Amino acid sequence: MLKIAVPNKGSLAEAATNMLRAAGYRQRTDPKDLTLVDSVHDVEFYYLRPRDIAVYVGEGHLDVGITGRDMLLDSGARATEVMPLGFGGSRFRFAAPAGRSNDIAALAGKRIATSYPGLLGRWLGEHGIEANLVKLDGAVESAIRLGVADVVADVVDTGTTLQRAGLEVFGEPICASEAILIRRDEDTEPEGLASLRTRLESVLVAQNYLMMDYNVAEPDLEATTALASGVNGPTVSRLAEPGWMAVRVLVPRRGAHLLMDRLFEAGARGIILTELSAVRL
């Protein structure tokens, strides 16, 4: 049975659960549940703190897990990234009081507050910068105002929190993070991982496509199918009304409404767009 770690709270938790559910797996309905067995698919889910997941997977107690790339790199665990999952995107950046002349070279000898000492320590070492790390569990944006740091290094989504604290980011991102699927850093792939990867990939594909249905008079069929040819061609069938055809086709999400306009101009009627939960191409 494949043992899968899932974030139990935080910004990754809900999206991870929704993605697994879209991939066909059972998920807990009570947030107090710590485990859930999906016997139909031969998997068991463990709901854990996102920061701990890489450690559990790296030590081999669990087979795979969903966590942030920044948390994996910070942990130093013997785990490796299997695939990105397309949500929870963020940047790990330096920030200091607005108006100062800040650059990476000026970090030497500074006190840098962070909740990610492992990730930051390795980055500083790779760049030959010696600085004093101040480890905090959270709310690092207050560290400068409270006098315990000169600079902070933190995960930045919109940057609003830092701006409210009078800080501005500088330098290139230390790390570009997002939710990822991880496994133990070893040669043998856990049994069941291939199936999980395929299911998650099908959800990612579905996020980029929509199903489009429309009716069209037979003389206009060629013009409309030329506008939307689909992946392997559209599905075309005759309607009860003589001379009319029903068309179903997979279309890219981007530009779908513009495509609807063009299809309508070409003679399509009754055009419907439908959301998809999973697509295997």
Side-chain angles (χ1 to χ4, degrees):
M1 181 170 287
L2 188 69
K3 296 180 179 180
I4 306 172
V6 184
N8 66 348
K9 59 182 178 180
S11 60
L12 302 182
E14 182 177 0
T17 296
N18 290 341
M19 188 173 195
L20 289 166
R21 188 176 287 116
Y25 297 104
R26 286 184 58 211
Q27 287 298 287
R28 65 178 183 176
T29 55
D30 187 342
K32 295 181 181 179
D33 290 341
L34 301 179
T35 62
L36 181 143
V37 175
D38 184 345
S39 57
V40 173
H41 300 105
D42 201 29
V43 298
E44 185 172 8
F45 296 100
Y46 292 78
Y47 299 90
L48 304 167
R49 292 177 67 248
R51 280 184 170 272
D52 296 337
I53 287 175
V55 176
Y56 282 108
V57 173
E59 292 299 317
H61 301 296
L62 299 176
D63 299 310
V64 297
I66 295 175
T67 188
R69 183 178 293 119
D70 52 354
M71 297 179 197
L72 169 63
L73 296 175
D74 186 62
S75 70
R78 293 178 294 176
T80 187
E81 179 175 335
V82 175
M83 61 181 289
L85 299 178
F87 64 88
S90 63
R91 297 289 186 271
F92 194 61
R93 305 288 302 270
F94 289 110
R100 289 188 185 177
S101 178
N102 296 305
D103 57 53
I104 299 301
L107 291 174
K110 295 290 181 64
R111 298 170 301 166
I112 307 176
T114 185
S115 299
Y116 297 80
L119 170 59
L120 180 57
R122 279 191 293 276
W123 187 93
L124 291 172
E126 291 170 358
H127 289 77
I129 299 173
E130 294 187 9
N132 300 313
L133 298 188
V134 180
K135 184 182 181 303
L136 299 175
D137 288 333
V140 298
E141 65 274 3
S142 300
I144 298 175
R145 179 170 54 85
L146 294 176
V148 299
D150 307 302
V151 177
V152 301
D154 199 15
V155 173
V156 179
D157 185 5
T158 63
T160 302
T161 302
L162 292 175
Q163 291 173 4
R164 287 175 178 170
L167 305 178
E168 63 181 10
V169 299
F170 66 92
E172 294 298 317
I174 303 165
C175 169
S177 184
E178 65 178 298
I180 58 174
L181 180 70
I182 65 172
R183 54 168 282 193
R184 193 166 188 262
D185 190 11
E186 58 184 14
D187 294 333
T188 304
E189 180 174 294
E191 184 177 354
L193 174 56
S195 177
L196 172 64
R197 186 192 298 115
T198 298
R199 285 172 174 247
L200 294 179
E201 287 172 347
S202 73
V203 175
L204 290 173
V205 172
Q207 294 173 359
N208 295 314
Y209 287 90
L210 295 168
M211 183 62 72
M212 179 176 285
D213 293 90
Y214 64 86
N215 300 332
V216 63
E218 193 166 359
D220 297 323
L221 177 62
E222 185 176 351
T224 59
T225 54
L227 289 171
S229 58
V231 177
N232 295 314
T235 299
V236 180
S237 56
R238 291 192 175 275
L239 292 173
E241 184 173 348
W244 280 81
M245 314 297 288
V247 180
R248 165 166 284 194
V249 62
L250 198 64
V251 301
R253 179 181 296 272
R254 184 179 296 240
H257 287 275
L258 180 59
L259 177 59
M260 289 179 73
D261 295 339
R262 292 174 176 171
L263 285 169
F264 190 86
E265 292 171 357
R269 296 294 182 266
I271 308 172
I272 300 173
L273 281 175
T274 305
E275 291 282 348
L276 303 167
S277 60
V279 175
R280 297 193 190 187
L281 298 178

